[in-house]
Amino acid sequence: MREQINEKTDLSRFDNSWYNHGPRWRVLLWFLVNAYFLNTYLPIPVRLKVAVLRLFGAKIGRNVMIKPAVNIKYPWLLEIGDYVWIGEQVWIDNLSQVVIGNNACLSQGAMILTGNHNYRSITFDLTTRPISLEDGVWIGARSVVCAGVRCESHSVLSVNSVATRSLDAYSIYQGNPAAFIRKRTITA
């Protein structure tokens, strides 16, 4: 029989000083710019949104669609391919690198979360791991992609699902945690 340890979480000891998100001035400036240009329902032209993201270090391909009320934590840790669709109220909480391939779609309210906490640690330490969404991936509305997940080519995470593990190419996943449902077939 395993001995159970009954330690308690002590958030007074929490310390994420190791995490370097960039110069403080850039983080504060981005916080303001993000609120006025991306995380808003004001009718900001997509070209202006893309230009602002590039100005802050994002690598963005051609013909990217960014709908209203999108929240991006750190654009300097974001790479987006060509012909990508980012739906309304998408939250890219990229404490680590996020790479989105060509022809990918993030539907309304999807969340991309590169950070988490070590629940086993007394100090509830911050952990970060990159996320990769390959070409043709579709993240359904209100779905969550967790830290360290790789969504392989043309995989689908259906509506309101949570990907805690990587998704295989041309496969459809559903649920919390997301489980394989069937293969994805694309016809002409």
Side-chain angles (χ1 to χ4, degrees):
M1 181 181 277
R2 282 173 60 173
E3 180 181 331
Q4 183 155 355
I5 299 173
N6 290 319
E7 294 289 336
K8 295 182 180 180
T9 302
D10 183 0
L11 292 178
S12 70
R13 294 171 44 194
F14 178 78
D15 177 19
N16 68 345
S17 61
W18 62 268
Y19 179 74
N20 181 10
H21 45 64
R24 189 163 182 77
W25 67 266
R26 181 169 61 171
V27 172
L28 291 173
L29 183 58
W30 173 247
F31 177 80
L32 296 172
V33 170
N34 185 44
Y36 285 103
F37 287 93
L38 271 85
N39 196 4
T40 180
Y41 281 98
L42 292 174
I44 307 293
V46 174
R47 284 185 182 186
L48 183 55
K49 292 177 186 182
V50 168
V52 166
L53 283 166
R54 285 180 177 147
L55 183 66
F56 277 87
K59 295 177 181 134
I60 302 179
R62 298 182 319 257
N63 295 330
V64 171
M65 170 56 69
I66 302 173
K67 299 300 269 180
V70 169
N71 190 16
I72 296 173
K73 180 75 91 178
Y74 301 131
W76 47 92
L77 295 174
L78 181 62
E79 188 174 329
I80 301 173
D82 300 333
Y83 304 100
V84 171
W85 182 283
I86 299 177
E88 189 172 335
Q89 295 183 347
V90 165
W91 181 11
I92 301 175
D93 192 22
N94 57 333
L95 299 171
S96 187
Q97 188 73 32
V98 169
V99 177
I100 302 170
N102 301 324
N103 299 295
C105 177
L106 282 69
S107 292
Q108 306 91 323
M111 296 178 73
I112 310 300
L113 305 175
T114 62
N116 204 342
H117 292 276
N118 181 352
Y119 64 87
R120 292 182 178 137
S121 168
I122 289 172
T123 55
F124 203 56
D125 299 327
L126 174 67
T127 62
T128 67
R129 291 178 27 217
I131 290 175
S132 175
L133 309 178
E134 294 181 1
D135 293 352
V137 165
W138 180 15
I139 305 301
R142 302 272 180 223
S143 290
V144 178
V145 178
C146 295
V149 168
R150 178 182 191 92
C151 298
E152 293 181 1
S153 178
H154 294 83
S155 57
V156 175
L157 183 62
S158 69
V159 172
N160 216 24
S161 295
V162 179
T164 58
R165 293 192 173 103
S166 294
L167 310 183
D168 291 333
Y170 288 92
S171 297
I172 300 171
Y173 292 80
Q174 181 179 41
N176 182 4
F180 172 80
I181 300 299
R182 65 181 165 276
K183 293 304 275 184
R184 178 183 185 185
T185 304
I186 299 175
T187 57

